[in-house]
Amino acid sequence: MRPLDGRVVVIDPGHNGGNARAPKEINRKVNVLTQWKACDTTGTSTNSGYSEAAFNWDVSTRMAKILRSRGATVKLTRSSNTGVGPCITERAAIGNRSEADAAISVHADGSSPGNRGFHVIMPKKIGGPVDPVVGASARLGKAVRDAFREGTGLPYSTYIGKKGLDYRGDLGGLNLSTVPKVFIEAGNMRNAGEAAKFRDPAFRQKIALALANGLQHYLKS
Ligand SMILES: [Zn+2]
């Protein structure tokens, strides 16, 4: 027996490495219930040009490996970092179709250089399909927040949310989810100190391990 035998996790590496070359496809508006939004976006990068899409992809594949080694069935919402999309609506639908026990979108932020720290984004009730999993998503979010802080040593965001937690009703990936789901914003890629950490593969492994531990804690509680 492994700890996560029989559990299904969907990991959504935010953005995609090919998005910049497909503006028409990516800028198409999709309905996320509380508003219309672009199908997907290009994401941010460090000042030295390490893209958020590449960071998200690397952390996600590392996390998938760890969770699979613990027995989980893991599905990713994209299969490489060279493609385009999928739309945020489809990213949510993949979690729903998989009947995931937990889903997580992996991102890093691009804010003012003086801002730093990580935050977890959880869904709000919007009178939509996510409403029944808002409570479970909040528990998942807190488990991920605690594990991330312990595993990475990064501080809570100095510029968004409270104690590393934020709740939003404008994200398609959350509004359309019928399974417990959160976003991690791992830090600020435009902050020199955090950018240096994110460029380090050993630190990305630390992030992946922390996220896997947070998911496991939620799934086992
Ligand atoms: Zn992002």
Side-chain angles (χ1 to χ4, degrees), residues 150-187:
E150 189 183 326
T152 68
L154 290 178
Y156 296 150
S157 172
T158 60
Y159 62 101
I160 291 178
K162 279 186 185 159
K163 295 189 173 178
L165 300 175
D166 191 30
Y167 302 84
R168 286 173 62 173
D170 64 314
L171 296 174
L174 295 181
N175 286 355
L176 297 164
S177 184
T178 58
V179 300
K181 185 171 180 186
V182 300
F183 277 46
I184 176 74
E185 291 280 359

Side-chain angles (χ1 to χ4, degrees), residues 14-15 41-44 52-53 56 106-110 183-185:
H15 317 284
T41 51
T42 55
T44 187
E52 184 202 342
N56 297 340
V106 177
H107 288 260
D109 209 0
F183 277 46
I184 176 74
E185 291 280 359

Side-chain angles (χ1 to χ4, degrees), residues 4 21 27 30-31 43 58 68 73 75 84 86 101-102 105 108 112 116 122 137 139 146 156 158 161 173-174 217 221:
L4 296 179
R21 63 173 151 78
N27 292 331
V30 296
N31 183 357
D58 185 78
R68 284 176 182 137
T73 298
K75 206 168 281 184
V84 175
D101 295 299
S105 271
S112 308
R116 57 198 190 91
M122 290 155 291
S137 299
R139 289 194 296 280
D146 291 346
Y156 296 150
T158 60
L174 295 181
H217 190 258
S221 65

Side-chain angles (χ1 to χ4, degrees), residues 45-176:
S45 73
T46 67
N47 288 342
S48 68
Y50 180 51
S51 76
E52 184 202 342
F55 169 82
N56 297 340
W57 174 248
D58 185 78
V59 167
S60 295
T61 51
R62 289 172 186 274
M63 186 189 351
K65 199 171 172 185
I66 295 164
L67 290 167
R68 284 176 182 137
S69 77
R70 297 178 183 178
T73 298
V74 180
K75 206 168 281 184
L76 276 75
T77 58
R78 54 180 169 104
S79 55
S80 75
N81 193 42
T82 55
V84 175
C87 289
I88 51 180
T89 45
E90 174 62 12
R91 291 172 189 263
I94 290 168
N96 299 347
R97 284 200 300 270
S98 309
E99 299 181 17
D101 295 299
I104 185 167
S105 271
V106 177
H107 288 260
D109 209 0
S111 183
S112 308
N115 290 338
R116 57 198 190 91
F118 78 93
H119 66 284
V120 178
I121 307 168
M122 290 155 291
K124 274 184 182 170
K125 285 195 179 172
I126 55 160
V130 75
D131 289 11
V133 294
V134 161
S137 299
R139 289 194 296 280
L140 171 61
K142 282 171 191 152
V144 168
R145 188 271 313 264
D146 291 346
F148 195 91
R149 175 151 175 182
E150 189 183 326
T152 68
L154 290 178
Y156 296 150
S157 172
T158 60
Y159 62 101
I160 291 178
K162 279 186 185 159
K163 295 189 173 178
L165 300 175
D166 191 30
Y167 302 84
R168 286 173 62 173
D170 64 314
L171 296 174
L174 295 181
N175 286 355
L176 297 164

